[in-house]
């Protein structure tokens, strides 16, 4: 029995020694400040980690929140990184919660600053742990390329108020971001040009975005058809499709001066017109947004 206890103590010492020796970066309670940036396009909740860098939760419109840990020093870390929610100083006895094992590729050059990106799944768990008063902590296995360990922790002190502001910002985000609406295709049944309810819903998202983003200066609406039927009729059909979309945009508050309307018939297929599925993809109108 004594031998088993000794073996357990030795094993504990071996496993825990690297963590005890690790350099730790963390804001004190007095230093712990959570900054919030708000807009209709994104929300950012971040904390400076003294002498290390900054950790930021970033929630873009139309997406879920991700997390980025950005060091200020070049080549700060690479390799395996363990993410655990640890008890804050005011939570004695609370067991840590494992979140994820991450990996940071080595920088492509000595001058590159390589941030650690945390996906939406684990970023959500980090936010929950901070809300519970715990401290998400990254333990790095290769600090400054030396093979030494380092720990970088986010402080939960003063988190609640900033988190409330952050959530209020998220609630006001646009339903889509620019990438999601910059290129849109509306598809049609054969010989049809009227907008379906689903197509109108998609156009409504574009309209809401354009009205909010003053950087959007131009919209291009292009009508197309497949190659079924006579070429002249296909050209007229593509014209009706493009003009119907333009009318909808203008009727819902988009300046007609911003819109360039064009129609091309069957001249520019998205895919070869050699199957039923392909022809369905070519019966379309496209809407393209351009920002300054």
């Amino acid at each position: 029995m004594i031998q088993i206890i000794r073996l357990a103590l030795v094993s504990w010492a071996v496993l825990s020694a690297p963590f005890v020796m690790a350099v730790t970066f963390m804001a004190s309670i007095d230093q712990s400040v959570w900054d919030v940036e708000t807009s209709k396009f994104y929300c950012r909740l971040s904390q400076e980690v003294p002498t290390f860098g900054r950790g930021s939760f970033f929630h873009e419109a139309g997406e879920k929140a991700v997390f980025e840990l950005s060091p200020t020093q070049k080549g700060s870390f690479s390799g395996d990184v363990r993410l655990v929610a640890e008890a804050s100083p005011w939570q004695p006895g609370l067991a840590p919660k494992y979140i994820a094992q991450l990996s940071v590729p080595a920088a492509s050059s000595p001058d590159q600053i390589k941030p650690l990106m945390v996906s939406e799944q684990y970023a959500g768990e980090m936010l929950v742990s901070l809300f519970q008063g715990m401290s998400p902590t990254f333990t790095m296995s290769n600090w400054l390329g030396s093979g030494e360990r380092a720990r970088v922790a986010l402080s939960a002190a003063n988190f609640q108020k900033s988190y409330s502001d952050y959530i209020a910002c998220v609630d006001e985000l646009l339903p889509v971001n620019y990438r999601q609406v910059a290129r849109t295709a509306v598809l049609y049944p054969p010989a049809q040009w009227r907008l379906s309810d689903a197509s109108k819903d998609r156009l409504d998202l574009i309209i809401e975005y354009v009205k909010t983003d003053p950087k959007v200066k131009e919209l291009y609406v292009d009508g197309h058809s497949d190659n079924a039927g006579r070429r002249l009729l296909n050209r007229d059909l593509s014209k009706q499709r493009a003009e119907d979309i333009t009318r909808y945009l203008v009727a819902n508050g988009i300046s007609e001066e911003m819109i360039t309307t064009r129609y091309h018939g069957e001249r520019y297929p998205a895919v070869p017109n050699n199957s039923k599925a392909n022809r369905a993809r070519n019966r379309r109108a496209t809407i393209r947004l351009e920002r300054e």
Side-chain angles (χ1 to χ4, degrees):
M1 181 66 179
I2 294 175
Q3 186 175 0
I4 293 174
I5 294 174
R6 285 176 178 171
L7 181 60
L9 290 173
V10 170
S11 299
W12 175 85
V14 170
L15 290 172
S16 62
F19 293 91
V20 173
M21 296 170 60
V23 178
T24 299
F25 301 92
M26 182 179 184
S28 66
I29 292 177
D30 292 338
Q31 294 173 319
S32 180
V33 176
W34 285 94
D35 299 311
V36 183
E37 297 176 49
T38 65
S39 77
K40 285 284 189 179
F41 308 105
Y42 72 89
C43 306
R44 191 190 305 273
L45 177 64
S46 64
Q47 181 181 76
E48 182 179 352
V49 181
T51 71
F52 176 82
R54 180 168 287 270
S56 301
F57 293 95
F58 182 77
H59 195 139
E60 186 179 13
E63 307 286 355
K64 293 186 178 180
V66 296
F67 179 81
E68 179 179 299
L69 184 63
S70 301
T72 54
Q73 287 184 275
K74 300 172 183 177
S76 293
F77 55 87
S78 61
D80 294 333
V81 178
R82 185 178 177 85
L83 174 57
V84 175
E86 298 184 353
S88 293
W90 57 87
Q91 297 174 314
L94 186 62
K97 297 179 181 179
Y98 172 81
I99 297 178
Q101 185 75 21
L102 309 170
S103 181
V104 182
S108 57
S109 72
D111 294 333
Q112 185 182 19
I113 296 178
K114 193 82 172 179
L116 170 61
M117 302 301 300
V118 179
S119 68
E120 58 189 42
Q121 174 187 352
Y122 303 130
E125 293 185 43
M126 291 173 65
L127 283 169
V128 169
S129 67
L130 283 163
F131 188 80
Q132 294 171 341
M134 301 186 76
S135 176
T137 302
F138 299 87
T139 301
M140 303 165 180
S141 58
N142 190 22
W143 172 244
L144 293 175
S146 64
E148 298 296 325
R149 288 183 179 272
R151 299 170 70 252
V152 181
L154 300 175
S155 171
N158 306 313
F159 176 76
Q160 295 286 346
K161 172 61 169 64
S162 296
Y163 182 68
S164 296
D165 295 340
Y166 170 76
I167 291 300
C169 172
V170 171
D171 288 341
E172 296 297 321
L173 285 174
L174 290 171
V176 290
N177 58 56
Y178 179 74
R179 296 187 309 277
Q180 294 170 333
V181 293
R183 304 288 185 273
T184 298
V186 174
L187 302 181
Y188 296 87
Q192 298 296 313
W193 55 272
R194 296 287 188 184
L195 288 167
S196 66
D197 289 342
S199 296
K200 289 179 181 178
D201 289 342
R202 180 63 182 174
L203 292 179
D204 289 342
L205 293 176
I206 295 173
I207 291 164
E208 183 176 2
Y209 185 88
V210 172
K211 287 181 176 180
T212 307
D213 188 353
K215 292 183 178 180
V216 176
K217 299 299 183 182
E218 296 178 293
L219 291 83
Y220 292 88
V221 179
D222 290 88
H224 301 271
S225 72
D226 60 18
N227 66 347
R230 297 172 58 185
R231 182 168 296 181
L232 185 59
L233 292 177
N234 285 337
R235 183 176 180 275
D236 290 341
L237 184 58
S238 70
K239 180 175 184 289
Q240 289 176 301
R241 287 169 178 165
E243 290 180 343
D244 190 46
I245 287 179
T246 295
R247 282 192 297 271
Y248 188 86
L249 296 175
V250 172
N252 286 278
I254 303 300
S255 171
E256 192 168 2
E257 296 179 356
M258 296 176 62
I259 305 172
T260 299
T261 307
R262 303 177 294 197
Y263 42 93
H264 312 282
E266 61 192 66
R267 285 193 297 166
Y268 302 114
V271 291
N273 280 297
N274 55 12
S275 69
K276 182 178 180 180
N278 280 7
R279 284 190 291 273
R281 290 178 60 186
N282 289 329
R283 295 190 299 269
R284 72 199 190 281
T286 59
I287 302 97
R288 176 165 58 94
L289 276 54
E290 291 293 338
R291 292 196 294 188
E292 63 180 7

